[in-house]
Amino acid sequence: MDVCRAKDSDSGFLEAATGSSDKTVKLWAMRYGSDPLNCVATLSGHRDYVTCVSFHPKETWLLASASGDRTVRIWDLDTLKCVGVLMSHKALCLCVAWSKDGKFLASGGADKHVKRLRWWRTRSVLVKPFLH
C-alpha cells in the first residue's frame, strides 16, 4: 500500500511525502520544469506499514503519518526527527488529517473511532489528546 501527499513550496519546488509497506515515510522534491521527483530523505520509526501522510497546512516543517502499528507520528521535517508519537487506537490507524487552521489533528482507525488531538506550536513533544 502506497500513499502520497504533495504540496507546493515557496522555493519553486514540488514536495511530496509517501508512506508504504516498508514502514517508512519518504520525502521527495522536484524543481518545477526539471527531472522527476528525487527522494531526499527517509523517515523511519513506524513498526508496521504507513497508511496515510499529511502535511501541516501552515507549519511547513511538520508532517503527520498514520500506521498499521496503531500510532500517529509527528515529524519535524527540518531535523528529520520524530517529535511525537500518539498511541490512541486499539487497531490499525487508517488516516490522519490536520484541520484547516492546523490547530487540530484527527486520526481514524479500524477500531471505528475518530480521535481528535490538539497540537500546540512547539518543537518539543507537546501533542496532547483533546477531550471532547
Side-chain angles (χ1 to χ4, degrees), residues 55-61 99-102:
F55 286 104
H56 191 280
K58 298 189 185 280
E59 303 298 341
T60 59
W61 50 272
S99 63
K100 188 174 181 178
D101 63 7

Side-chain angles (χ1 to χ4, degrees), residues 5 51-57 63-67 70-74 86 88-89 92-109 111 113-119 127-130 132:
R5 293 288 182 270
T51 58
C52 187
V53 292
S54 180
F55 286 104
H56 191 280
L63 178 83
S65 61
S67 172
R70 304 180 303 180
T71 67
V72 171
R73 287 184 177 262
I74 310 299
L86 310 172
S88 61
H89 289 279
L92 63 112
C93 188
L94 296 170
C95 57
V96 63
W98 298 98
S99 63
K100 188 174 181 178
D101 63 7
K103 292 181 181 177
F104 295 91
L105 181 67
S107 63
D111 54 4
H113 291 285
V114 173
K115 306 285 185 179
R116 291 188 304 160
L117 304 161
R118 177 70 190 260
W119 173 80
V127 183
K128 299 186 178 190
F130 177 73
H132 46 279

